[in-house]
Amino acid sequence: MFKSPGEIAFTIGSIDVYYYGIIMAFAILTGIAVILNLKKRFYPEISSDRIFDISFLLIIAGIFGARFYYVLLDYKYFLRFPYEIPAIWHGGISIQGAILFGILAGIFYVKKHNINFFRYADLFIFGLVTGQIIGRWGNFFNSEAFGLPSNLPWKLYIPYSNRPIPFKNEEFFHPAFLYESLLSVCIFVILYLILIKCKNRKDGLIFYIYIVLYSIARILVETIRTDSVLNIYGFHAAHIASAIFILIAIIGLCFLYKRK
């Protein structure tokens, strides 16, 4: 059984330090470390200075995009409590928003510096997946990103205040965050095997395959989640966004391998 110790890790004076922020910081730093390690082995022509420049841009764009996307999906709540919009330490970010804004920021950067978008995207995807593997554990401490009620040995205890209205009398739920974290581990392994085995791959292959694999994983996990912030005609917003991502990635792969 999983049970969160709470949101606050410790307090310094009057300042609360949240587990969520600690986890996110660790996820970002580990992701950058993975990128630098893979750069040395597989992309030696890319400078470390450029890695840090792009990483800073993507971190800013990703955090902003993740929060903006989440606020947009749950706009009714944030219209009532606008002061909660910047309170990212309470949780409430969307990885899909981070991916979207990260891609847009990456396109802006490569256009400005006239470099190959897909070559850098293939490398930075490993940092993103690493961040997802670790970052999802922030949901554990905030008692969010959980699924339907469950009595499995790895069930997750959710406090009464965090339970959806239809399940107020239930105590234990599927740890959906854990499922997504484990699926991200599988995605990392698959992408790494492609990196080391496919010597003649085209730049962009890893990027597009990640989009497809993560979108499929998100559809699977989202199916059991009960705390999705927006439903459209019975479909979770994450389902719809994932389907669009898959379609775009498949089209991109077709163009990638039909182009001479």
Side-chain angles (χ1 to χ4, degrees), residues 203-240:
D203 292 333
L205 176 64
I206 291 174
F207 169 75
Y208 282 130
I209 289 181
Y210 161 78
I211 295 295
V212 172
L213 291 178
Y214 174 68
S215 297
I216 292 173
R218 186 60 185 270
I219 288 173
L220 293 174
V221 174
E222 199 71 21
T223 301
I224 66 168
R225 282 184 60 172
T226 60
D227 61 341
S228 298
V229 292
L230 179 65
N231 291 311
I232 302 174
Y233 296 109
F235 292 95
H236 294 178
H239 279 153
I240 298 172

Side-chain angles (χ1 to χ4, degrees), residues 153-187:
W154 53 85
K155 60 191 176 184
L156 174 67
Y157 174 80
I158 297 296
Y160 184 83
S161 59
N162 292 66
R163 299 171 198 166
I165 292 175
F167 303 108
K168 285 295 185 182
N169 294 326
E170 300 289 343
E171 291 187 326
F172 303 103
F173 298 79
H174 280 283
F177 77 90
L178 173 62
Y179 301 157
E180 188 167 329
S181 180
L182 294 176
L183 285 170
S184 295
V185 172
C186 296
I187 292 172

Side-chain angles (χ1 to χ4, degrees), residues 16-233:
D16 294 328
V17 178
Y18 290 80
Y19 283 110
Y20 195 89
I22 295 173
I23 294 292
M24 290 302 153
F26 181 66
I28 290 171
L29 293 175
T30 306
I32 294 174
V34 168
I35 292 170
L36 290 171
N37 182 269
L38 294 180
K39 180 205 83 70
K40 292 179 182 178
R41 296 180 59 190
F42 302 101
Y43 301 88
E45 77 283 0
I46 297 177
S47 72
S48 295
D49 288 340
R50 194 174 292 279
I51 293 294
F52 287 116
D53 288 344
I54 297 175
S55 295
F56 178 77
L57 175 65
L58 295 184
I59 290 168
I60 300 300
I63 293 174
F64 174 81
R67 187 60 171 176
F68 177 80
Y69 189 87
Y70 183 87
V71 170
L72 189 64
L73 292 182
D74 201 13
Y75 68 94
K76 292 181 180 179
Y77 172 83
F78 289 103
L79 285 175
R80 292 172 54 203
F81 307 102
Y83 55 85
E84 279 288 321
I85 292 176
I88 194 171
W89 52 90
H90 290 162
I93 61 175
S94 168
I95 293 177
Q96 290 176 319
I99 293 171
L100 178 59
F101 276 72
I103 290 173
L104 294 176
I107 291 173
F108 168 80
Y109 185 92
V110 300
K111 290 293 184 182
K112 182 179 179 180
H113 294 273
N114 194 29
I115 55 179
N116 186 336
F117 170 82
F118 287 117
R119 188 153 185 81
Y120 282 81
D122 283 355
L123 173 58
F124 274 82
I125 281 300
F126 288 96
L128 173 59
V129 181
T130 300
Q132 288 176 263
I133 294 169
I134 299 171
R136 267 303 174 193
W137 283 88
N139 300 133
F140 167 64
F141 293 100
N142 280 2
S143 295
E144 59 186 4
F146 52 89
L148 293 167
S150 170
N151 282 316
L152 293 171
W154 53 85
K155 60 191 176 184
L156 174 67
Y157 174 80
I158 297 296
Y160 184 83
S161 59
N162 292 66
R163 299 171 198 166
I165 292 175
F167 303 108
K168 285 295 185 182
N169 294 326
E170 300 289 343
E171 291 187 326
F172 303 103
F173 298 79
H174 280 283
F177 77 90
L178 173 62
Y179 301 157
E180 188 167 329
S181 180
L182 294 176
L183 285 170
S184 295
V185 172
C186 296
I187 292 172
F188 187 100
V189 171
I190 292 171
L191 297 180
Y192 185 73
L193 289 175
I194 293 172
L195 180 65
I196 63 177
K197 297 294 184 181
C198 300
K199 301 298 183 182
N200 297 319
R201 69 184 182 280
K202 288 190 176 183
D203 292 333
L205 176 64
I206 291 174
F207 169 75
Y208 282 130
I209 289 181
Y210 161 78
I211 295 295
V212 172
L213 291 178
Y214 174 68
S215 297
I216 292 173
R218 186 60 185 270
I219 288 173
L220 293 174
V221 174
E222 199 71 21
T223 301
I224 66 168
R225 282 184 60 172
T226 60
D227 61 341
S228 298
V229 292
L230 179 65
N231 291 311
I232 302 174
Y233 296 109

